Amino acid sequence: MALVLYAANTNKNAFKTLIAAEYYGVDVKLIKNFEMGVTNKTSEFLKMNPIGKVTVLETPDGAIFESNAIARYITRLKADNPLYGSSLIEYGHIEQWIDFATLEVDANIMRWFLPRLGFLAFPYIAPAEEFAIVAMKRALEALNTHLALNTYLVGHYVTLANIVLTCILTLGFSRVMTKNFTSAFPHVERYLWTMVNPQNFSKVLGEIK
Amino acid sequence: MALVLYAANTNKNAFKTLIAAEYSSVDVKLIENFEMGVTNKTPEFLKMNPIGKVPVLETPDGAIFESNAIARYVTRLKADNPLYGSSLIEYGHIEQWIDFATLEVDANIMRWFLPRLGFPAYPYIAPAEESAIAALKRALEALNTHLASNTYLVGHSVTLADIVLTCNLTLGYSRVMTKSFTSAFPHVERYFWTMVNQPNFSKVLGEIKQTESVIPIQKKPAQPKELKAKPEPKKEAKKDAPKPEEDDIEEAPKPKAKNSLDLLPPSTMVLDDWKRLYSNTKSNFREVAIKGFWDMYDPEGYSLWFCDYKYNEENMVSFVTMNKVGGFLQRMDLARKYAFGKMLIIGSEPPFKLKGVWLFRGQEIPPFVMEECYDMELFEWTKVDLSDEAQKERVNQMIEDQEPFEGEELLDAKCFK
């Protein structure tokens, strides 16, 4: 039976799981006709995730929320999945870069991006944006240095860390990070354009601009 | 050989790993004499974590950063560690609550806590704090419901999820979440106090005390005297009559009562008269409004200032630049009685330049404006030299939003009045 993923079909956080599922043949289906603000407000949905956020994965054993947790679960479904590396230290580094991608890259992209949408919960404040951009640059600089010597984040093939980081960068590249901004980080650029092209990625992500 | 953890001995993110290590019988030592801001700036440290954040774990196979990643790694060092549950779905749920504890609980505690410390990277903004508190309440409500029928987050024993959540709550409980705040979440309270009293937790955490008040908003040192005097009597009043935190926050920073500018010798210039003249002049602006301005202008009671944005190269998007100015003028609201300003957004294509002219009561830019409106420090401020006719003419052109201005088109002009 396919596992069912609840999210809109443009949700970068859902893509993490869909790509991880592609890699080693786990059957995950994105639910059809998901409507943000409607589907995720139903009482069935709130039973799966009480705070009503997407993404949620429905499994025969119960539901799981938090997109990275879902991607990790999917990855563990296959014993000794290479997406989790081939040693404990690789596993440690994969977790390190997943959290880095989430807390240093995604969080700062969001601190930059969300206030520009005019939501009340995220007021636009110029100096706050500047600090977000500075923190963003610091994270990308660190990545750029790491990727100068490494094709992938960890080891010599795609891991879950690559999947999480790439999905996050996809949003950044398509909404706030212009060429002018990213050109200071050539290894990150090379990395992203390499990553979005393998079949398992492009099948899910489509064409990124 | 013991693994070495780099962090201060009060760091809640280090505690996650230390507690997980206790449960898993993994030998992890906190490095001695760690000095935040020193140890983590050394080249050796930056090799381990290029962004210099703590904690970092040094292992014989290399270093690992990110506190949750370290805790996960230490947990995995023990095969089939019960901290990771006893089935795949338990594993999935443990990861779910770790991320929830990080992104919904910790992130919102931090959005509440950090801006109160006065770091420039985290400006204090009342509505942003309110939305952080609302998001935290939503998370705690969800937790409360879950913990109403579960002793632990997942299964029937302590897992890594409990360790991460408890460490995150520890900071909340000890700095911002008072009893009156947490009492709305009785199952979270029961859970928290049960967890911190588990031997493996208390060994690392020591004794936890819930804070009696939300940590006050730290002010920058340069503060007008009478503003400084204000908050203190207030604090006492607070103790007598505890109120919901949100109210305190709303009230605390506002310098309403008496402004030092009101104590200046009276001026012949009535600011509202000028503002009215400015608004009502529809034609012959030069002859009526500008001439009127200089007729009323009182150089003893008021001063004029040019401002020049320091980061013009960042003004790449027209509407964002206009919003920037809009936000600035909104935040200047507190100076409505003491100031008039004109901001020009200059250029027909990016990067746009931001320049302006401001009239302030007194001979200095009022300290409370510098203090409360952080946009101020994004501009260079230069006092207008009235003996210089060229500068005076520049004031005129700005008030009039004359185009072209200094050879360039104007994208927009906004007035603070």
Side-chain angles (χ1 to χ4, degrees), chain A:
Chain A
M1 197 186 102
L3 304 171
V4 182
L5 190 62
Y6 287 75
N9 61 8
T10 52
N11 185 309
K12 72 147 172 38
N13 289 327
F15 294 160
K16 297 170 184 169
T17 291
L18 295 175
I19 296 171
E22 282 297 325
Y23 262 84
Y24 293 99
V26 177
D27 195 4
V28 178
K29 294 260 169 298
L30 200 59
I31 194 161
K32 281 189 194 154
N33 306 322
F34 179 91
E35 258 189 274
M36 194 62 195
V38 179
T39 317
N40 59 322
K41 300 292 176 204
T42 61
S43 58
E44 296 81 46
F45 189 92
L46 293 172
K47 249 178 238 159
M48 298 197 292
N49 182 357
I51 64 169
K53 282 198 182 177
V54 292
T55 53
V56 169
L57 183 75
E58 197 177 19
T59 85
D61 302 317
I64 303 176
F65 55 87
E66 281 296 344
S67 63
N68 290 354
I70 298 169
R72 285 180 175 109
Y73 169 80
I74 291 288
T75 302
R76 286 273 172 210
L77 282 182
K78 185 190 153 94
D80 300 321
N81 194 330
L83 286 184
Y84 253 145
S86 58
S87 64
L88 269 173
I89 189 72
E90 282 197 4
Y91 167 70
H93 285 145
I94 290 164
E95 290 291 359
Q96 159 189 304
W97 289 114
I98 292 176
D99 284 358
F100 181 90
T102 306
L103 300 168
E104 300 292 338
V105 182
D106 193 40
N108 288 314
I109 290 178
M110 289 305 172
R111 279 170 68 195
W112 184 2
F113 174 55
L114 292 179
R116 289 179 169 243
L117 300 183
F119 295 128
L120 276 184
F122 302 96
Y124 177 83
I125 299 134
E129 177 173 86
E130 273 162 44
F131 285 115
I133 295 175
V134 169
M136 182 77 227
K137 284 182 178 167
R138 180 178 71 164
L140 292 179
E141 235 162 71
L143 262 183
N144 196 55
T145 309
H146 183 74
L147 293 170
L149 304 169
N150 296 278
T151 311
Y152 299 97
L153 287 171
V154 182
H156 302 288
Y157 41 80
V158 169
T159 65
L160 188 55
N162 297 117
I163 297 176
V164 171
L165 177 63
T166 302
C167 291
I168 287 168
L169 285 176
T170 303
L171 182 119
F173 270 67
S174 60
R175 306 308 284 270
V176 284
M177 289 151 63
T178 59
K179 174 72 192 158
N180 191 6
F181 180 88
T182 59
S183 59
F185 316 103
H187 301 293
V188 176
E189 286 189 322
R190 179 271 303 159
Y191 169 83
L192 180 73
W193 299 123
T194 314
M195 289 307 302
V196 296
N197 282 321
Q199 207 202 341
N200 291 331
F201 277 78
S202 59
K203 193 171 161 188
V204 172
L205 296 175
E207 200 197 341
I208 304 294
K209 272 194 181 171

Side-chain angles (χ1 to χ4, degrees), chain A residues 116 124, chain B residues 309 312 314-327 345-346 350-354 411 414:
Chain A
R116 289 179 169 243
Y124 177 83
Chain B
Y309 194 62
N312 283 327
E314 285 175 7
N315 298 331
M316 299 306 290
V317 183
S318 60
F319 72 90
V320 174
T321 311
M322 294 190 315
N323 287 348
K324 211 182 252 187
V325 176
I345 304 162
I346 304 161
F352 302 101
K353 297 188 195 79
L354 291 184
L411 176 70
K414 288 183 193 281

Side-chain angles (χ1 to χ4, degrees), chain B residues 380-398:
Chain B
E380 284 294 339
W381 292 90
T382 325
K383 200 169 189 177
V384 175
D385 177 1
L386 292 172
S387 63
D388 180 347
E389 282 304 317
Q391 288 195 30
K392 259 177 115 168
E393 175 55 22
R394 190 164 184 263
V395 171
N396 295 343
Q397 291 178 3
M398 286 180 132

Side-chain angles (χ1 to χ4, degrees), chain B residues 231-250:
Chain B
E232 276 157 27
K234 205 161 201 184
K235 248 185 225 159
E236 280 162 30
K238 235 187 258 174
K239 266 182 214 153
D240 298 340
K243 285 184 243 162
E245 287 72 45
E246 294 93 315
D247 292 355
D248 294 349
I249 297 150
E250 278 283 285

